[in-house]
Amino acid sequence: MDYKIVVDGMKALTAGLKNNVWPDAFFRELLGMSEESIDRLPEMAFYFMIVYGISAVISLILHYAQKQKSFSDLGRKIAAFLSCFVAVMCCWIVPQFIAQGKLLASDVKGEFSFTQEGMKWLSDFLQAWFDPVFLIILLVAISMMPVFSIRRYIKNYKLLGIPWAIYDVGFPLLCFSAAILAMANGNLMWYVAIPVGLTAVWL
């Protein structure tokens, strides 16, 4: 793993959020995104914010018309945001650790058998693959959290739970979209969208 890329990428992201400038090193070098994908990020963020805004309006109408409510409080919203950020970083880190696992596993001499040497080989082999396997399990666990939330909305509100699910589960993506558009356009006003995602918390 190239720790310089990690440091430079995170510095670029921090500077981008602080100074409202585009963090090219974060997307290009750290996340390894292609030029085409980077160019499409602002457009995709804008379209998502439109979908999110429509879902937010429908959800709030349902709240007042049918007494429906969000299943997430402020703590859950913050946890969902942090989990989503960790998941994004895991998508970059996992391939690095898989490459590391392959390298370490190739250095393990011997083969499996029900002997002391065979058990030592198995222990060394599993240790070589521990980091990537652990990160993959973590990524899967994080990914299941929004799935359970969506299932709960559909179970309780049927089809009317779809806008609620987008409004609730999509909050981390709303934050990312606001940041992307703010940095791409140099306009802090995009962050005004984030309080919209928190409106139902206090209803």
Side-chain angles (χ1 to χ4, degrees):
M1 181 183 298
D2 192 333
Y3 291 101
K4 184 179 184 301
I5 292 180
V6 177
V7 173
D8 291 344
M10 294 308 296
K11 282 184 177 179
L13 178 61
T14 302
L17 294 171
K18 181 180 178 181
N19 302 318
N20 223 31
V21 295
W22 189 250
D24 192 63
F26 175 75
F27 293 114
R28 189 188 312 278
E29 298 176 18
L30 181 55
L31 296 186
M33 297 178 64
S34 66
E35 190 76 32
E36 182 181 358
S37 297
I38 294 174
D39 290 341
R40 291 188 60 193
L41 274 177
E43 179 184 4
M44 294 171 62
F46 180 72
Y47 287 142
F48 176 78
M49 290 188 74
I50 292 176
V51 173
Y52 189 91
I54 294 172
S55 300
V57 170
I58 294 174
S59 299
L60 294 177
I61 291 174
L62 290 173
H63 169 73
Y64 288 107
Q66 299 194 16
K67 308 302 180 184
Q68 295 181 359
K69 63 179 182 178
S70 171
F71 297 139
S72 292
D73 55 17
L74 183 59
R76 285 178 177 271
K77 292 280 191 181
I78 295 174
F81 172 80
L82 294 176
S83 296
C84 192
F85 183 79
V86 171
V88 170
M89 295 309 298
C90 278
C91 289
W92 174 81
I93 294 174
V94 166
Q96 313 297 318
F97 276 94
I98 288 178
Q100 172 187 295
K102 289 181 179 179
L103 181 63
L104 294 176
S106 65
D107 290 335
V108 178
K109 305 302 180 183
E111 59 183 15
F112 175 73
S113 64
F114 292 101
T115 63
Q116 183 176 356
E117 290 77 12
M119 290 301 176
K120 183 180 184 303
W121 174 88
L122 179 61
S123 175
D124 292 342
F125 183 83
L126 293 177
Q127 186 175 352
W129 283 103
F130 176 80
D131 288 342
V133 170
F134 174 79
L135 286 173
I136 290 172
I137 292 174
L138 177 62
L139 184 59
V140 171
I142 291 174
S143 301
M144 291 306 296
M145 293 171 60
V147 172
F148 289 138
S149 295
I150 294 172
R151 179 177 177 274
R152 185 180 179 188
Y153 279 112
I154 300 299
K155 180 179 179 181
N156 285 272
Y157 298 151
K158 309 305 179 186
L159 290 179
L160 296 179
I162 295 177
W164 275 111
I166 296 173
Y167 182 42
D168 189 3
V169 176
F171 176 72
L173 296 181
L174 172 70
C175 297
F176 295 162
S177 297
I180 287 171
L181 289 169
M183 292 186 294
N185 296 285
N187 190 346
L188 288 172
M189 289 302 295
W190 286 104
Y191 288 109
V192 174
I194 295 179
V196 174
L198 297 173
T199 301
V201 172
W202 291 285
L203 295 177

